């Protein structure tokens, strides 16, 4: 008979011991202790100056207001002098040395708060052993005052969890000190220390919680006010958009209808006249469509954008033909390898050329214009230039607000490009634009 033994292999990780919830809580607690009181315990954290815009400080004169900024430092220094005076009183041992052991941890709270707590914990047994009087244990009067001040300042400068850990370590030291203390003491002061320190740390913790709650409420109120302002702005924009649509759309519709009906009011109109009115109607309908598309963005939330794609440079010939029909002689020149550009660049370039040619029609009727498009490495160059108007008397003042150049600059700035616009030497006008285009990665080629 052959006996076969099956060996079951446990996958890595499946055989790991599952710890109990109590164990995980203990590990998390020790990790919090290490993070709050051990990790970077002696990190340099100078006490900042007090703000001088408080309700009480603002009422002080100028010089006193400057001094009030250092009030926390003065209070801590006074506490250090107080502990020094207590520690050096009625001691047969090295009084000055004992006073320094009690005062230094208090002063240390201004630059290294967590390190000041450990310094107080270390100085307490040293002062108790060096002092010849054993009336109080494990805290001498100087150490008692020093430790309470240190606990208070460190709790104010740190978070509530740190205050809890400091009290736990203080209680642990009291327990150990009471167990190994000398027998000729009058009594232990661990109880008063733990009670007083607990009350102080509780007050500081409540102060922290209240301050955080006030900050959270203030932040929430700020967000609410911002959202309310934004909602009001959107509602106002929606109202303006609707009014603008009702006014402009009505007039554009009238223009389109009159342009369509005008040839029928003249007997045997010439073909040029019919073509001119047809162009006017097409422009009016196109403008009305663009108006509805743009204003729809700021109208009702359920607005659905039209499915028609946005214009690109590929449709520039149609725009130039439309401008020529309106009476502007325009030429186009393209240099460089024509390639497909990002949609935002294509749309902005089209709108810039459209606006520049519209300005030429408006401010230089009868002039000639030229559109130059340069596909260069890393971007797209545009140059729209028109000559001087042959008859300046035909120029009529425009009732508009003159936002054409501003709109072009906004489009160029949005794409981190550059733009210049100004008069030419011969009396014409030139718009030069450069729109940067990110080069494709080699891996995408």
């Amino acid at each position: 008979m052959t006996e076969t033994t099956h060996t079951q292999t446990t996958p890595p990780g499946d055989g790991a011991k599952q710890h109990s919830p109590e164990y995980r809580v203990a590990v998390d607690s020790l990790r919090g202790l290490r993070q709050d009181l051990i990790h970077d315990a002696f990190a340099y954290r100078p006490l900042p100056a007090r703000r001088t815009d408080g309700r009480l400080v603002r009422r002080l004169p100028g010089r006193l207001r400057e001094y009030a900024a250092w009030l926390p430092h003065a209070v801590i220094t006074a506490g250090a002098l107080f502990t020094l005076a207590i520690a050096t009183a009625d001691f047969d041992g090295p009084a000055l040395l004992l006073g320094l052991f009690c005062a230094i941890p208090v002063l240390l709270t201004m630059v290294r708060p967590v390190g000041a707590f450990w310094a107080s914990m270390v100085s307490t047994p040293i002062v108790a052993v060096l002092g010849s009087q054993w009336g109080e244990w494990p805290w001498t009067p100087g150490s008692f005052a020093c430790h309470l001040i240190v606990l208070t300042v460190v709790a104010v400068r740190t978070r509530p969890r740190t205050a809890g850990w400091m009290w736990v370590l203080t209680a642990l030291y009291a327990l150990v000190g009471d167990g190994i203390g000398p027998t000729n003491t009058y009594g232990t002061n661990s109880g008063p220390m733990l009670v007083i320190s607990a009350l102080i740390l509780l007050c500081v913790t409540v102060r922290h919680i209240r301050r955080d709650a006030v900050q959270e409420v203030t932040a929430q109120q700020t967000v609410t006010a911002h959202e309310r302002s934004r909602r009001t702005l959107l509602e106002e924009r929606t109202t303006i958009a609707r009014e603008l649509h009702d006014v402009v759309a009505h007039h554009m519709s009238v223009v389109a209808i009159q342009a369509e009906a005008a040839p029928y009011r003249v007997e045997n109109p010439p073909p040029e006249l019919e073509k001119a009115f047809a162009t006017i109607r097409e422009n009016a309908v196109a403008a009305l469509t663009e108006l509805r598309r743009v204003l729809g963005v700021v109208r009702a939330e359920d607005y659905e954008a039209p499915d028609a794609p946005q214009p690109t440079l590929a449709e520039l010939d149609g725009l130039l033909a439309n401008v020529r029909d309106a009476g502007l002689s325009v030429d186009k020149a393209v240099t460089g390898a024509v390639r497909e550009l990002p949609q935002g660049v294509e749309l902005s370039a089209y709108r810039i050329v459209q606006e520049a040619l519209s300005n030429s029609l408006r401010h230089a009727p009868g002039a000639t214009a030229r559109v130059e498009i340069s596909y260069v490495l890393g971007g797209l160059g545009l140059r729209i230039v028109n000559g001087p108007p042959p008859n300046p008397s035909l120029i009529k003042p425009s009732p508009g607000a003159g936002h054409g150049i501003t709109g072009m600059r906004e489009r160029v700035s949005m794409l981190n490009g550059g733009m210049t616009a100004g008069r030419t030497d011969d009396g014409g006008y030139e718009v030069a634009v450069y729109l940067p285009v990110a080069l494709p990665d080699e891996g995408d080629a």
Side-chain angles (χ1 to χ4, degrees):
M1 180 182 295
T2 303
E3 201 174 272
T4 304
T5 303
H6 297 277
T7 303
Q8 183 176 0
T9 303
T10 303
D14 292 346
K17 184 178 179 181
Q18 298 294 331
H19 299 294
S20 62
E22 293 80 5
Y23 176 82
R24 289 195 294 269
V25 170
V27 171
D28 293 339
S29 300
L30 294 178
R31 187 180 296 113
L33 171 63
R34 183 175 68 251
Q35 180 180 357
D36 292 341
L37 295 179
I38 298 178
H39 183 65
D40 293 337
F42 290 90
Y44 181 68
R45 293 177 53 195
L47 180 65
R50 177 186 176 89
R51 296 177 56 183
T52 58
D53 56 351
R55 289 179 296 178
L56 298 179
V57 179
R58 284 182 300 183
R59 301 178 182 179
L60 298 175
R63 183 58 61 89
L64 291 180
R65 190 182 303 114
E66 295 179 3
Y67 292 154
W70 303 103
L71 181 61
H73 303 76
V75 172
I76 294 177
T77 303
L81 295 176
F82 175 74
T83 58
L84 179 65
I86 295 178
T88 55
D90 298 332
F91 267 122
D92 296 333
L96 182 59
L97 180 61
L98 297 177
L100 291 178
F101 270 114
C102 296
I104 289 177
V106 178
L107 296 176
L108 196 60
T109 57
M110 290 190 290
V111 289
R112 306 182 190 275
V114 178
F117 167 75
W118 289 113
S120 177
M121 293 292 294
V122 172
S123 66
T124 296
I126 295 177
V127 173
V129 172
L130 292 179
S132 60
Q133 294 183 352
W134 301 95
E136 295 292 340
W137 181 265
W139 281 277
T140 63
S143 298
F144 195 94
C146 168
H147 199 64
L148 285 180
I149 295 175
V150 168
L151 285 178
T152 303
V153 176
V154 177
V156 170
R157 298 199 60 194
T158 56
R159 52 184 176 178
R161 190 176 70 176
T162 305
W165 280 119
M166 290 191 301
W167 189 88
V168 169
L169 292 178
T170 301
L172 182 61
Y173 170 77
L175 181 63
V176 175
D178 290 342
I180 63 175
T183 59
N184 59 339
T185 59
Y186 298 138
T188 177
N189 53 8
S190 297
M193 168 59 73
L194 296 180
V195 173
I196 296 176
S197 61
L199 291 176
I200 293 176
L201 296 180
L202 179 61
C203 294
V204 174
T205 301
V206 171
R207 174 181 175 274
H208 275 299
I209 295 175
R210 182 180 180 276
R211 183 190 61 186
D212 294 341
V214 170
Q215 292 178 352
E216 184 177 355
V217 171
T218 303
Q220 187 64 35
Q221 289 177 347
T222 303
V223 173
T224 302
H226 177 71
E227 291 295 332
R228 186 183 300 111
S229 175
R230 185 165 176 258
R231 185 171 60 251
T232 303
L233 177 61
L234 291 177
E235 292 175 355
E236 187 68 21
R237 288 177 59 189
T238 301
T239 303
I240 295 174
R242 289 172 178 170
E243 294 177 355
L244 183 62
H245 176 269
D246 293 341
V247 174
V248 179
H250 169 72
H251 290 290
M252 295 301 295
S253 300
V254 171
V255 170
I257 294 174
Q258 289 180 346
E260 184 177 7
Y264 299 100
R265 297 178 178 271
V266 180
E267 184 177 358
N268 298 323
E272 293 80 4
L273 181 62
E274 292 183 353
K275 185 177 180 181
F277 279 116
T279 302
I280 293 174
R281 181 183 181 280
E282 291 176 359
N283 289 335
V285 173
L288 185 60
T289 303
E290 291 292 331
L291 175 67
R292 289 170 176 170
R293 177 183 300 172
V294 173
L295 297 185
V297 177
V298 291
R299 293 192 68 180
E301 295 181 356
D302 56 351
Y303 174 81
E304 295 183 0
D307 296 333
Q310 295 288 348
T312 62
L313 291 177
E315 304 173 22
L316 193 59
D317 291 337
L319 174 64
L320 299 182
N322 197 359
V323 172
R324 293 189 187 100
D325 293 339
L328 180 66
S329 177
V330 57
D331 297 328
K332 184 183 75 168
V334 180
T335 59
V338 179
R339 64 185 185 275
E340 184 177 357
L341 301 176
Q343 183 178 4
V345 176
E346 292 268 359
L347 176 60
S348 296
Y350 182 91
R351 294 302 188 195
I352 290 171
V353 174
Q354 184 182 39
E355 182 62 32
L357 294 179
S358 298
N359 290 339
S360 299
L361 280 170
R362 186 180 305 111
H363 301 293
T368 59
R370 180 178 177 83
V371 177
E372 299 177 0
I373 304 175
S374 303
Y375 290 86
V376 297
L377 185 63
L380 176 71
L382 298 175
R383 182 174 179 268
I384 305 96
V385 59
N386 62 266
N391 190 358
S393 61
L394 296 178
I395 302 177
K396 297 181 180 180
S398 176
H403 294 302
I405 298 297
T406 302
M408 286 189 279
R409 292 191 186 278
E410 290 177 351
R411 289 183 179 273
V412 173
S413 176
M414 180 180 61
L415 297 174
N416 297 322
M419 172 180 166
T420 59
R423 293 286 181 181
T424 59
D425 296 336
D426 60 353
Y429 202 84
E430 178 187 31
V431 176
V433 175
Y434 175 75
L435 301 177
V437 177
L439 295 176
D441 297 336
E442 294 180 359
D444 298 339

